[in-house]
Amino acid sequence: MDFRLSEEELEFKQMAREFAEKRLYPRALEFDEEEITPPELIKECAELGYFGFTVPEEYGGLGLSSTAFMGVLEELCSACAGFGIMLSVHTSLTCEIIRLYGSEDLKQRYLPAMAAGEKIGAYCVTEPNAGTDLASLSATAVDKGDHYVVNGTKTFVTNAGYADVLIVFAKTDPDGGHGGISCFVIDKNTEGVVLGQPEKKCGLRASDTREISFSDVRVPKENLCGEVDKGFYIAVNILNSGRIGVSFQAVGIAQAAFDEALKYSKERVQFGQPIANFQAIQFKLADMATQVEAARLMAYRAVRMKDAGQPYHREASMAKLFATRMAGFVCNEAVQIHGGYGYIKEYPVERYFRDARAVGLYEGTSEAQQMVISRDLLKE
Ligand SMILES: Cc1cc2nc3c(=O)[nH]c(=O)nc-3n(C[C@H](O)[C@H](O)[C@H](O)COP(=O)(O)OP(=O)(O)OC[C@H]3O[C@@H](n4cnc5c(N)ncnc54)[C@H](O)[C@@H]3O)c2cc1C
């Protein structure tokens, strides 16, 4: 398989790097400390077309490949991962669900505004008592003829504070287990949708994460996405694809931590010479660079398979498992190379270290990836 990027893919990656270096990186610590996703940068990203990257042109998007988008995501996450995951959830989860499973009416009504960045998406599946075990969710959607009435609480919703379009999973058949879940597109401003306070997170603090509760929320029948009772498969399929995005988030964070460590090792003098002269530091750098590269290749393999229309769920889970562990290892080593300074906010590796901790938790924990991979291996 050819892992080289096409000229067009490289061009988008380069443009994203310029945007990330100029607009995100210099203020990333401020966004982290103040826990904000700056609206003016959301607008700038929208002008670059990033909110509709993979949305077909007929619905106002750029209609580009997932591979091209992953290059962009890696660059944004290198500069400010909290900002990057906002775009990742909007594009890879919410726009993709409507594109792949929505009726023509849903696509016409939602995708153009979402592709333009005028409406932002959020993905609501996790509940206080249903995390890895998605099938045990307890939100309900009761059929009332021409509409459903949705009740329940969703936790850890990324983008909740500024999202307009919520993709919500709820039970339409309470006794149906995973076969009784359906997927809905719900406007956040609908009566009965109540937003919680922002969660105080360890990392990815530029992203907004909250609880959202639904109290007798009336959802028109036309806002059912995909078939009734088939929502579990939508959630699982979209998470397979989302996992590739998380792999690239991890690669972006780790690459940035490595770059900082490399630079610092040449500047920091101890025993009369730069610490980069010590073999212990050189070997750390060699291991870190090798791990980042291996994770990137695994992630590109998965996304190329996706774009080629091949089955890719095992490769996506392997890429996520490896890349997210790799990010933890690389960021930890980057702090180590910085010595005590790596533990101080003035040095970006402190933020990367915190951000990297999250990527093995969402869109399926590392253990969830191990379940997917081992189940697949044992089936053979
Ligand atoms: C920053 C962040 C952003 C998020 N964004 C979103 C979002 O936008 N939308 C959304 O819906 N959710 C979101 N989540 C939620 C995330 O997807 C869940 O936290 C995740 O699925 C794990 O669920 P849980 O936290 O309930 O952990 P649990 O499922 O309770 O798991 C606890 C531990 O037990 C392990 N475990 C569970 N079951 C098994 C098993 N069968 N075998 C072995 N080990 C097992 C897990 O791997 C984990 O280590 C986000 C979370 C974070 C931290």
Side-chain angles (χ1 to χ4, degrees):
M1 186 175 276
D2 189 352
F3 293 109
R4 281 170 303 181
L5 296 183
S6 69
E7 245 174 60
E8 188 186 46
E9 288 161 353
L10 273 173
E11 222 171 89
F12 276 107
K13 193 168 189 300
Q14 185 54 35
M15 264 166 54
R17 174 179 295 230
E18 282 164 25
F19 171 79
E21 280 177 354
K22 280 197 199 121
R23 305 293 293 140
L24 285 180
Y25 182 80
R27 294 179 59 200
L29 179 60
E30 173 196 332
F31 305 153
D32 176 83
E33 293 203 317
E34 293 180 12
E35 301 180 301
I36 47 163
T37 316
E40 71 275 15
L41 292 187
I42 292 183
K43 197 160 170 269
E44 285 180 39
C45 262
E47 279 158 13
L48 291 167
Y50 292 168
F51 283 85
F53 213 89
T54 54
V55 172
E57 284 173 290
E58 58 188 298
Y59 302 109
L62 296 180
L64 291 164
S65 68
S66 294
T67 304
F69 180 59
M70 291 301 118
V72 169
L73 187 60
E74 180 188 333
E75 294 300 339
L76 300 186
C77 288
S78 273
C80 179
F83 188 85
I85 81 157
M86 173 276 297
L87 189 67
S88 186
V89 167
H90 170 87
T91 309
S92 305
L93 298 182
T94 59
C95 288
E96 277 292 271
I97 285 189
I98 297 176
R99 179 179 81 84
L100 293 170
Y101 302 100
S103 62
E104 188 52 36
D105 168 59
L106 278 177
K107 289 182 201 174
Q108 299 277 2
R109 278 194 287 134
Y110 288 95
L111 286 181
M114 291 176 82
E118 290 158 7
K119 287 191 173 183
I120 293 180
Y123 177 80
C124 312
V125 66
T126 307
E127 296 182 358
N129 295 315
T132 306
D133 183 10
L134 292 184
S136 71
L137 63 82
S138 59
T140 53
V142 177
D143 190 340
K144 296 281 185 185
D146 65 340
H147 66 277
Y148 287 92
V149 172
V150 173
N151 279 287
T153 299
K154 299 292 175 180
T155 48
F156 289 116
V157 180
T158 302
N159 295 350
Y162 38 78
D164 308 278
V165 181
L166 309 176
I167 302 286
V168 181
F169 293 85
K171 284 246 160 97
T172 27
D173 175 3
D175 303 319
H178 68 270
I181 295 170
S182 301
C183 174
F184 299 90
V185 181
I186 301 183
D187 291 302
K188 197 178 74 185
N189 62 12
T190 312
E191 202 181 328
V193 176
V194 180
L195 207 56
Q197 290 300 311
E199 300 291 353
K200 294 270 172 203
K201 301 195 297 298
C202 158
L204 299 177
R205 287 156 53 93
S207 75
D208 185 275
T209 315
R210 305 179 192 219
E211 188 169 280
I212 300 185
S213 61
F214 300 84
S215 174
D216 290 333
V217 176
R218 192 186 160 104
V219 181
K221 271 267 165 82
E222 305 80 75
N223 281 32
L224 171 73
C225 190
E227 287 176 53
V228 71
D229 292 341
K230 296 280 191 273
F232 181 79
Y233 306 100
I234 297 179
V236 168
N237 284 340
I238 212 70
L239 285 175
N240 282 334
S241 142
R243 280 164 190 163
I244 305 177
V246 184
S247 309
F248 279 95
Q249 292 166 25
V251 169
I253 297 167
Q255 180 68 57
F258 170 78
D259 292 343
E260 292 290 340
L262 181 70
K263 184 163 72 117
Y264 187 83
S265 71
K266 293 183 197 163
E267 290 165 3
R268 177 68 174 169
V269 172
Q270 288 292 283
F271 297 95
Q273 54 190 312
I275 60 169
N277 285 358
F278 304 131
Q279 199 179 49
I281 301 292
Q282 292 168 2
F283 282 11
K284 278 190 197 303
L285 292 169
D287 281 348
M288 291 158 76
T290 306
Q291 295 263 322
V292 175
E293 202 56 30
R296 184 181 285 116
L297 287 172
M298 287 180 79
Y300 271 120
R301 177 178 71 150
V303 74
R304 283 269 190 245
M305 289 174 79
K306 180 187 172 200
D307 278 339
Q310 297 166 356
Y312 62 90
H313 65 278
R314 187 202 294 190
E315 289 73 15
S317 280
M318 285 179 165
K320 183 181 188 277
L321 179 64
F322 185 84
T324 57
R325 285 175 169 172
M326 172 285 295
F329 165 77
V330 168
C331 293
N332 192 45
E333 290 292 68
V335 169
Q336 197 66 23
I337 289 174
H338 280 70
Y341 296 98
Y343 207 57
I344 287 173
K345 287 198 181 291
E346 197 184 328
Y347 290 81
V349 290
E350 182 270 344
R351 175 167 52 86
Y352 299 137
F353 179 73
R354 287 184 286 109
D355 289 349
R357 189 61 194 84
V359 288
L361 297 174
Y362 54 82
E363 299 194 34
T365 60
S366 294
E367 292 76 14
Q369 309 314 319
Q370 288 171 316
M371 285 189 245
V372 172
I373 299 162
S374 58
R375 209 176 286 148
D376 213 50
L377 292 171
L378 290 165
K379 234 178 17 196
E380 285 179 355

